[in-house]
Every structure is written in structure tokens, then in C-alpha cells.
């Protein structure tokens, strides 16, 4: 009886194993398959964290290139993607959406260090921050970026870039926009307080401003009515009302930049070409002097740098 009982138990164990082993193998295969692909919706990206089998990142960098262990700079776009099983931890994110009449200003969370004294990171080719690997490989620097994002949808890695959405600058018909740059070359003119104009598409191209020698501080150029997409990290902008001289009065003008008035003279010499002080650059170039002006403004509405 004892022998029969043992044989029966062994037979039952064999039967259980006969069915259990395939089930376990099938479950293991399902787990492997489920960890071998990722699917992103049409408005999603996938970020990857490589958990092992790779190089260590250099000191000071927190986002990894393709062959390094850690949070990856690259992202996967919408669709079906095959992955090495168990190598990556994935997370899905919605596209970054910049609504109309807004811009995105960005900061790199990691990257090469900026040179001593620099406030803005240099621009590198990275498809508007959508190619994180190219950004790091091309020497992209950690910190505030010059490029901005116009309205639209973007596949941006949130572990590499922080993007703040800010309104585009709207200057109404009765306003002017006064601009100050927080970075750039120093003003070299003797007694100069204001940065000379450079080609930068009305401050909408921050990279051109820096490349063309834009100067730090308050700017001679100002914004007339219109909509402007401006990097609000580099440029501080303040709206001011236009200058209105009512009937029966005149406007007395004092310039806060220009050449020195010679001793013994109270009023600045008259210069031509500045169009009732609208063109500050011409005023400076033609020898306009700092202080109270001989010219006055007759009744009317004037756009000038306040």
C-alpha cells in the first residue's frame, strides 16, 4: 500500500509538472515579449532609462548618450518600437505644445559648462531641442538657451530640457516696447549707456543679436506696434505709452545718451536726421549730445525711446 501511495503521488506530481512547466514557459515568454517593445500614441514620446550594460556617463552630465547607462538623451516618437528586453525602463510623455501667440524659452538641465562669465549658452544644431543626442554631441551647454520655440508641437525630452511657455510680446498702437539685454558685449562708446542696434529681427533672433555684437544693457532700438516672438530670458521688455504733446504746448527733450556738451553751453547742439528723436541710432551717429536738447517737439504723437 505504501508503494502504491508513493507511486500515485509521483504520478500526480508528473502530471502537475507536465502542465505547469509549459504554462510557466509561456508566462516567461509573454513577460519577455511585453518587455521587448513599446508603443506611443500619435501625440506621445517615450523616454528611455538604460539600466545596465553600457559605459558610465562623464562627471557632471546627468543624461546619457546611446551607449551609456542612465537616462537617455534620445526619445522615441509615436509608433511601435522594438527594444532589448529588460535593458530599458520606459516612460511616456505628451508632446510639448506651444499655443498660438506664445513662445517657449528653454534651459538645458545638463550639458557642457558655459564659459566663465557667460549668461546664455551657445547655440548648437539640435532640431529645436528635439534631438537631445545631437545637442550633447555638438557641445550643447547647460543653462538658458538662445533659441526659442514658436507655436507648434515638439518632441522634447523633459529630462534634458525645461521649457517655459510665455506670451509673445504684443505692442499696441499707442505703445512702444523698451528693451534691455542681460547679456552681450559691453557698450564701448565714451559716455554711452545704450547698446547700439544690430541686425536681430527686432530682437526676435537672439543668436543673431549675440553673433552680430549686440551689447548688454538698455537698447537704442525699440519696438513699434506689432507681435514679437522674443526670448524673455535674454531680453527684458517693458511697454511704455507713446509720447503725446497736446495742442498749445511743446515737448522739451533731454537725451540720456550721446556726446558730452562742451563746457559753457547749456543746450545740446542741433543734429539732423533723427526724425524728431525717433531714430536714436542716427542721433548718436550724427554727434547728438547728452542732455537738454535745442530741438523741441510740436503738438502731436511721437514714438521714441523713453
Amino acid at each position: 500500500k505504501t508503494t502504491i501511495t508513493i507511486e500515485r503521488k509521483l504520478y500526480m506530481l508528473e502530471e502537475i509538472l507536465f502542465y505547469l512547466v509549459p504554462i510557466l514557459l509561456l508566462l516567461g515568454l509573454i513577460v519577455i515579449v511585453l518587455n521587448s517593445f513599446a508603443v506611443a500614441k500619435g501625440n506621445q514620446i517615450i523616454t528611455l532609462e538604460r539600466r545596465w550594460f553600457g559605459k558610465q556617463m562623464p562627471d557632471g552630465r546627468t543624461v546619457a548618450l546611446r551607449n551609456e547607462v542612465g537616462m537617455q538623451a534620445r526619445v522615441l516618437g509615436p509608433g511601435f518600437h522594438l527594444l532589448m528586453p529588460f535593458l530599458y525602463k520606459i516612460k511616456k510623455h505628451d508632446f510639448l505644445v506651444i499655443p498660438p501667440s506664445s513662445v517657449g524659452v528653454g534651459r538645458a538641465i545638463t550639458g557642457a559648462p558655459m564659459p566663465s562669465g557667460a549668461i546664455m549658452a551657445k547655440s548648437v544644431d539640435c532640431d529645436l531641442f528635439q534631438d537631445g543626442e545631437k545637442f550633447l554631441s555638438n557641445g550643447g551647454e547647460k543653462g538658458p538657451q538662445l533659441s526659442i520655440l514658436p507655436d507648434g508641437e515638439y518632441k522634447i525630452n523633459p529630462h534634458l530640457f525645461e521649457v517655459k511657455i510665455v506670451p509673445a510680446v504684443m505692442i499696441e498702437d499707442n505703445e512702444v516696447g523698451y528693451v534691455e539685454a542681460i547679456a552681450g558685449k559691453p557698450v564701448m562708446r565714451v559716455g554711452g549707456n545704450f547698446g547700439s542696434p544690430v541686425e536681430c529681427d527686432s530682437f526676435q533672433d537672439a543668436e543673431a543679436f549675440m553673433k552680430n555684437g549686440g551689447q548688454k544693457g538698455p537698447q537704442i532700438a525699440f519696438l513699434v506696434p506689432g507681435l514679437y516672438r522674443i526670448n524673455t530670458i535674454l531680453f527684458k521688455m517693458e511697454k511704455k505709452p507713446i509720447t503725446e504733446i497736446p495742442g498749445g504746448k511743446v515737448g522739451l527733450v533731454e537725451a540720456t545718451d550721446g556726446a558730452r556738451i562742451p563746457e559753457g553751453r547749456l543746450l545740446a547742439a542741433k543734429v539732423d536726421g533723427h526724425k524728431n528723436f525717433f531714430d536714436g541710432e542716427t542721433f548718436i551717429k550724427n554727434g547728438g549730445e547728452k542732455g537738454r536738447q535745442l530741438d523741441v517737439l510740436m503738438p502731436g504723437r511721437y514714438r521714441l525711446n523713453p
Side-chain angles (χ1 to χ4, degrees):
K1 289 182 179 180
T2 302
T3 303
I4 294 172
T5 302
I6 293 173
E7 288 179 348
R8 185 177 296 173
K9 288 182 178 179
L10 289 172
Y11 176 76
M12 291 175 63
L13 180 61
E14 287 176 356
E15 278 196 326
I16 291 171
L17 292 175
F18 179 79
Y19 291 106
L20 182 60
V21 170
I23 291 173
L24 291 176
L25 290 174
L26 179 60
L27 289 175
L29 182 61
I30 290 173
V31 170
I32 292 173
V33 170
L34 290 177
N35 283 274
S36 299
F37 69 90
V39 180
K41 297 179 182 178
N43 65 338
Q44 289 182 326
I45 60 170
I46 296 173
T47 56
L48 305 168
E49 182 181 359
R50 184 165 180 159
R51 294 184 279 190
W52 43 66
F53 303 129
K55 297 179 180 180
Q56 296 297 314
M57 284 184 284
D59 290 342
R61 180 148 58 77
T62 58
V63 176
L65 296 175
R66 192 176 299 258
N67 61 342
E68 296 172 339
V69 175
M71 185 61 65
Q72 301 291 292
R74 65 191 175 102
V75 299
L76 304 178
F80 178 88
H81 305 275
L82 291 173
L83 300 171
M84 184 70 71
F86 307 110
L87 184 60
Y88 296 103
K89 180 180 178 181
I90 70 169
K91 188 173 182 180
K92 298 178 183 180
H93 309 263
D94 290 337
F95 284 0
L96 173 68
V97 179
I98 309 294
S101 300
S102 300
V103 297
V105 293
R107 295 177 183 270
I109 299 170
T110 190
M114 288 189 291
S116 177
I119 297 175
M120 304 293 296
K122 70 177 182 180
S123 291
V124 298
D125 180 23
C126 58
D127 189 22
L128 292 175
F129 311 128
Q130 296 180 106
D131 192 333
E133 283 201 317
K134 185 181 285 188
F135 174 83
L136 294 177
S137 299
N138 289 343
E141 297 173 345
K142 178 180 178 180
Q145 304 294 303
L146 290 171
S147 297
I148 60 171
L149 302 175
D151 55 284
E153 297 182 340
Y154 299 91
K155 301 187 286 289
I156 291 179
N157 188 334
H159 300 287
L160 181 53
F161 296 105
E162 293 177 345
V163 179
K164 182 180 180 181
I165 300 174
V166 299
V169 176
M170 172 63 75
I171 306 297
E172 303 293 346
D173 186 60
N174 63 341
E175 296 175 326
V176 295
Y178 169 76
V179 182
E180 181 174 354
I182 67 163
K185 294 183 177 181
V187 177
M188 302 301 293
R189 285 182 291 105
V190 176
N193 301 318
F194 286 73
S196 299
V198 297
E199 180 56 46
C200 60
D201 191 19
S202 296
F203 304 107
Q204 297 181 104
D205 190 339
E207 184 178 1
F209 177 85
M210 299 298 286
K211 283 185 176 180
N212 293 334
Q215 298 169 339
K216 182 179 178 180
Q219 302 295 300
I220 290 176
F222 60 93
L223 301 178
V224 298
L227 181 70
Y228 300 90
R229 293 175 175 84
I230 290 177
N231 187 327
T232 54
I233 299 177
L234 176 59
F235 299 113
K236 305 302 180 185
M237 202 284 304
E238 185 178 355
K239 298 180 183 181
K240 298 271 192 177
I242 62 172
T243 300
E244 296 195 53
I245 309 298
K249 295 183 181 292
V250 295
L252 304 180
V253 180
E254 183 174 352
T256 58
D257 199 336
R260 288 185 178 182
I261 298 176
E263 290 187 16
R265 181 148 50 80
L266 298 178
L267 297 178
K270 177 182 175 67
V271 296
D272 296 320
H274 53 73
K275 303 174 184 176
N276 287 320
F277 303 103
F278 172 83
D279 189 344
E281 182 182 17
T282 298
F283 174 82
I284 297 293
K285 285 184 176 180
N286 289 349
E289 296 172 342
K290 181 177 179 180
R292 290 178 290 178
Q293 301 296 301
L294 185 62
D295 285 330
V296 298
L297 297 177
M298 303 305 291
R301 304 171 81 238
Y302 298 92
R303 289 192 178 92
L304 48 82
N305 190 326

